[in-house]
Structures are given as C-alpha cells and as structure tokens.
Amino acid sequence: GDSVTQMEGPVTLSEEAFLTINCTYTATGYPSLFWYVQYPGEGLQLLLKATKADDKGSNKGFEATYRKETTSFHLEKGSVQVSDSAVYFCALMGVKAAGNKLTFGGGTRVLVKP
Amino acid sequence: GAVVSQHPSWVICKSGTSVKIECRSLDFQATTMFWYRQFPKQSLMLMATSNEGSKATYEQGVEKDKFLINHASLTLSTLTVTSAHPEDSSFYICSVTPVGGYTDTQYFGPGTRLTVL
C-alpha cells in the first residue's frame, strides 16, 4: 500500500537558518504530494502541493519539488523565522485513492530559536 | 481558506460513557468529510470517510460499532465514541472536501482532545 516516510524530529534551528525536511514515498503511478503544517494549538493547514513529476510547489518561502526518480518531495526554506515553528507533515493522495484519502508521514517538529 | 470547526475542543469523560464530537464546515458545503485519529507525537491515522446521506466507509481495523459516524448534512458530521475506554483517549481531527473545490484539497478542523478516565 501507499506509505510516506519523513525524517524524525525535532529539528532545532536558529532564525535565518536553512531548513530541509526529507520526505520519501511509496505509491503506484503518480500520486499527488502535499506538505501540511500544524501550528501549536491549530489544525493542519495545506502548505503546498504538487500533482505531477517535476512540479514545484511553493508557499510562504517554502518549496518542494516532486521527484519521481527518487520518489521524494523534500521541503526546503532558505531562511526560517521563529513563526515557522510547527509540525510539518508530508502526505500523498494515491492515484487510485478511493474518496481522495490522504496518507500521512509521521510528522517533523521544527523549533526555530531567536 | 475554508473554515472548519470542531466541538468540543476537549472533553474528559468516564470510562463506559459515550462522547459525541461535531465537525462543521462554516463557509462552504462539504461533499466528503474524513475523521482521523492522532496519537501523541505521531501521525494522523484515517479512521473513516463519510459522504452526506450515505454510510461511512471505515478503514481496516476501525470498529464501526464503536466509532459511529453520522454525516447528516453537507455542513455537519458527527463522530460518537461509544462506551469509551482509556485506550480511546486521543486527538480526533476531521477534514472536509468542499463541494465544487479541488477534490485533492482537504481543510482540517482544529481537533478534539478526548481523555477517558
């Protein structure tokens, strides 16, 4: 079945540091890929998505490129802020997903210190 | 973005009682609503998918008689945890897919923390 693996946290960074969160997936065909973010005390929010190979999703300074050859969708941000402290989830929606079900990775907690 | 609310935000109950959690889409109609369970420091586990007016589809291993889902309208779905036990303590999250929106887009509620004593 479909699965998503992402690096375990917590990841602790200083403000303005470069952030990378690795995400790899297993699925048949070409799934859609997502990054969701969960800020403290809030629900998950869609951060960015990519629906086909080589697509780059971007939002709020974050980027991720859909790499079919390496089955990866790594999240990057060039200069993080304290407000980026949150839990980040990589997810996929399979090609044959009935009812548009999402499969989530384990989540990566990011803490940005001033 | 779309707004999804959950009520209550947290609940504490005694073992053996039933608890109902509501999920509402506030500014749109939802074709499909999903219920997830999230354990501490772990990922979201899909429990069931519900469509308005039809029976929910439960994931393998989820007891449908224990976790009753009612999708009564295009803006409301409820999850009832029947005869709750301490092992049911968890964070329950709903998400919705809007009518007429991208079918790959889900909007999440803030979650409900259930503690069973």
Side-chain angles (χ1 to χ4, degrees), chain A:
Chain A
D2 297 345
S3 67
V4 177
T5 303
Q6 60 182 106
M7 58 189 292
E8 291 188 20
V11 175
T12 303
L13 303 164
S14 296
E15 212 166 17
E16 299 184 1
F18 185 86
L19 170 67
T20 299
I21 304 176
N22 290 337
C23 170
T24 57
Y25 68 90
T26 301
T28 55
Y30 289 83
S32 294
L33 302 174
F34 306 82
W35 277 100
Y36 282 86
V37 58
Q38 186 177 31
Y39 297 105
E42 299 183 16
L44 274 75
Q45 302 174 25
L46 178 64
L47 181 59
L48 53 85
K49 69 179 183 181
T51 57
K52 60 183 187 294
D54 299 325
D55 266 2
K56 177 184 285 186
S58 62
N59 185 26
K60 298 181 180 180
F62 290 89
E63 291 184 343
T65 301
Y66 190 144
R67 301 289 188 197
K68 177 64 175 176
E69 64 277 13
T70 54
T71 62
S72 65
F73 193 54
H74 305 321
L75 182 68
E76 298 181 336
K77 185 172 185 180
S79 177
V80 294
Q81 305 300 313
V82 173
S83 57
D84 294 324
S85 297
V87 181
Y88 293 82
F89 292 92
C90 185
L92 71 80
M93 185 176 292
V95 173
K96 295 182 179 179
N100 302 316
K101 295 187 296 185
L102 287 167
T103 300
F104 285 90
T108 302
R109 184 175 299 276
V110 173
L111 176 61
V112 181
K113 295 185 175 181

Side-chain angles (χ1 to χ4, degrees), chain A residues 32 34 36 38 41-46 49 51 89 93 98-102 104-107 109, chain B residues 32 34 36 38 41-44 46 49 59 91 93 97 102-111:
Chain A
S32 294
F34 306 82
Y36 282 86
Q38 186 177 31
E42 299 183 16
L44 274 75
Q45 302 174 25
L46 178 64
K49 69 179 183 181
T51 57
F89 292 92
M93 185 176 292
N100 302 316
K101 295 187 296 185
L102 287 167
F104 285 90
R109 184 175 299 276
Chain B
T32 306
F34 302 87
Y36 296 85
Q38 184 180 26
K41 299 184 179 180
Q42 293 187 30
S43 187
L44 283 74
L46 180 65
T49 303
E59 295 300 299
F91 197 54
I93 302 172
T97 299
Y102 291 107
T103 56
D104 65 353
T105 299
Q106 293 185 24
Y107 296 95
F108 286 79

Side-chain angles (χ1 to χ4, degrees), chain B:
Chain B
V3 179
V4 179
S5 71
Q6 284 185 237
H7 177 78
S9 55
W10 59 269
V11 57
I12 300 173
C13 69
K14 294 182 178 180
S15 185
T17 61
S18 294
V19 175
K20 179 183 285 187
I21 302 170
E22 292 185 349
C23 175
R24 292 182 184 273
S25 55
L26 298 183
D27 51 1
F28 59 93
Q29 293 182 324
T31 52
T32 306
M33 289 184 168
F34 302 87
W35 286 97
Y36 296 85
R37 185 172 178 177
Q38 184 180 26
F39 291 99
K41 299 184 179 180
Q42 293 187 30
S43 187
L44 283 74
M45 180 193 78
L46 180 65
M47 300 175 65
T49 303
S50 74
N51 292 288
E52 186 264 342
S54 61
K55 290 184 178 181
T57 302
Y58 290 82
E59 295 300 299
Q60 192 172 9
V62 178
E63 298 176 62
K64 62 180 181 180
D65 293 331
K66 180 166 188 63
F67 298 100
L68 301 178
I69 292 172
N70 185 339
H71 194 154
S73 74
L74 286 172
T75 60
L76 173 65
S77 177
T78 61
L79 168 67
T80 301
V81 183
T82 62
S83 186
H85 289 92
E87 58 265 30
D88 299 322
S89 298
S90 191
F91 197 54
Y92 292 88
I93 302 172
C94 72
S95 71
V96 304
T97 299
V99 172
Y102 291 107
T103 56
D104 65 353
T105 299
Q106 293 185 24
Y107 296 95
F108 286 79
T112 296
R113 183 163 303 283
L114 169 63
T115 301
V116 184
L117 303 177

